[in-house]
Amino acid sequence: MKLNRISTNIRALLLGASACAFAFVAPVQAQDVAPAAAETQEAAAAIATPALWKVADEDTTIYLFGTVHALPDGIEWYYGPLAEALGSSEILVTEIEMNPEAMAATQQLVLAKGVLPEGQTLRNLLNEEQRAAYEAALAKVDLPAGAFDRFEPWYGAMMMTMLPLLKQGYSLDAGAEKVLETKAGDGMERGALETVEEQLSIFDNLPQEAQIAFLMETVEGVDEIKAMLDAMVAEWAEGDADELARLMNEGRTDPVLAERLLYARNANWAKWIDERLDAPGTVFIAVGAGHLAGEQSVQDKLAELGIETARVQ
């Protein structure tokens, strides 16, 4: 299987570069999504030790945990130092608000930002060759040719990235954020590093040509999306951030989108952490694992601010 066909943009998205992507595919999972094969579930059963870091000064501790937003059932990772870290924290901070009200608002924002003007359709934006490949890819995931006609290409690309995963054994309910939200319970304060609108704007503000290119990258790699995420989840489960970064960045060809998806946001979050160190307490930050791996990671951006990050697990 040629996993190198999966573009680095899609790899970054799979590693949680945009938490909101899963928010607007969540309703699909509640509908007629095929159950995972038994062998997938059996292979997934494992004890995992994903990486955990911390930043600390005299009166503040901030934990940094890299998540995967959707996971197969059966991966046991919430125990030991990680569970202790969340249990000792006063606030759980995620990329965006993860409560039901925020998720419902995401649906409304997608309708506001992602819908094409009246009279346009997604397929009409494609040339004949692109349209044929796009419709063939939709058929592979059991969707009609006009499934996303109302929407801009970035939306179609995201949906075609996520839907194969939900049909092949990955679950939002097993995803790291959902587990952390449940473990934190009602008594823990919540915080967010970004708004849903900010995340959606990363894609919505792309030029139409770039959106179409993103869509066609997804079309080309639709058969290998699950295999790529399987490979990255395996490294995540082992806590191998270096190998995770290698898989995610292999063959990167679009530095502009990488800057928008990862690097600029990493720098913003490092500044947030720097400012939060001025207040006492213990904070647990959970963001997509891609933000905590490789060059220009959150840890690298913290180092540029003179802040040291220590590996906990």
Side-chain angles (χ1 to χ4, degrees):
M1 185 166 291
K2 298 179 180 179
L3 297 182
N4 60 342
R5 289 175 58 189
I6 301 291
S7 78
T8 50
N9 296 332
I10 297 170
R11 296 173 198 232
L13 195 62
L14 292 174
L15 259 290
S18 183
C20 68
F22 284 96
F24 56 76
V25 300
V28 179
Q29 191 173 24
Q31 299 172 8
D32 185 21
V33 177
E39 59 268 23
T40 301
Q41 298 292 340
E42 183 179 351
I47 299 296
T49 53
L52 176 69
W53 292 265
K54 75 173 181 180
V55 171
D57 61 16
E58 310 81 45
D59 57 3
T60 308
T61 298
I62 300 177
Y63 292 101
L64 299 174
F65 176 56
T67 66
V68 182
H69 300 309
L71 286 166
D73 290 330
I75 299 181
E76 298 295 333
W77 55 267
Y78 186 79
Y79 64 93
L82 202 154
E84 293 169 8
L86 182 65
S88 68
S89 298
E90 295 141 18
I91 179 171
L92 170 62
V93 177
T94 47
E95 293 181 32
I96 57 174
E97 291 184 38
M98 304 296 288
N99 58 60
E101 294 78 15
M103 295 299 97
T106 299
Q107 305 293 322
Q108 297 303 313
L109 275 171
V110 168
L111 291 175
K113 285 183 170 290
V115 175
L116 287 165
E118 191 70 30
Q120 289 188 12
T121 68
L122 191 161
R123 282 182 293 165
N124 286 345
L125 300 178
L126 308 178
N127 62 38
E128 185 175 347
E129 182 181 352
Q130 290 171 332
R131 190 180 307 116
Y134 169 67
E135 291 178 352
L138 284 171
K140 288 179 180 179
V141 292
D142 301 320
L143 289 172
F148 308 127
D149 269 359
R150 293 180 57 212
F151 295 95
E152 295 179 0
W154 66 263
Y155 178 87
M158 281 195 173
M159 292 294 283
M160 290 186 66
T161 300
M162 305 306 168
L163 288 177
L165 301 174
L166 300 185
K167 287 178 174 289
Q168 296 179 73
Y170 278 77
S171 166
L172 298 170
D173 289 337
E177 277 88 355
K178 188 66 176 286
V179 172
L180 292 171
E181 286 284 336
T182 301
K183 297 296 184 181
D186 295 332
M188 187 178 293
E189 185 183 350
R190 301 299 199 274
L193 296 168
E194 296 174 335
T195 66
V196 171
E197 187 165 12
E198 286 171 337
Q199 287 207 350
L200 289 178
S201 293
I202 294 171
F203 304 96
D204 189 51
N205 290 341
L206 287 172
Q208 189 173 92
E209 296 79 7
Q211 292 188 34
I212 291 173
F214 183 24
L215 175 63
M216 299 316 297
E217 287 173 354
T218 311
V219 164
E220 182 181 353
V222 70
D223 291 329
E224 288 85 40
I225 286 172
K226 179 182 179 294
M228 174 52 69
L229 187 54
D230 284 346
M232 292 194 291
V233 166
E235 301 304 336
W236 173 84
E238 291 183 5
D240 192 338
D242 291 338
E243 183 61 17
L244 195 62
R246 187 195 68 76
L247 283 174
M248 190 177 70
N249 294 308
E250 193 173 39
R252 182 173 295 284
T253 58
D254 191 345
V256 175
L257 192 53
E259 177 68 22
R260 292 187 184 189
L261 279 175
L262 294 170
Y263 307 147
R265 297 166 70 206
N266 292 349
N268 289 338
W269 297 350
K271 292 175 185 175
W272 187 97
I273 292 168
D274 186 20
E275 293 173 2
R276 184 57 184 79
L277 285 169
D278 293 337
T282 304
V283 180
F284 192 102
I285 296 178
V287 297
H291 293 283
L292 303 179
E295 295 182 0
Q296 301 195 56
S297 63
V298 172
Q299 299 95 310
D300 283 353
K301 299 300 185 182
L302 285 168
E304 292 174 8
L305 299 174
I307 299 171
E308 183 179 352
T309 309
R311 181 78 178 256
V312 176
Q313 173 176 286

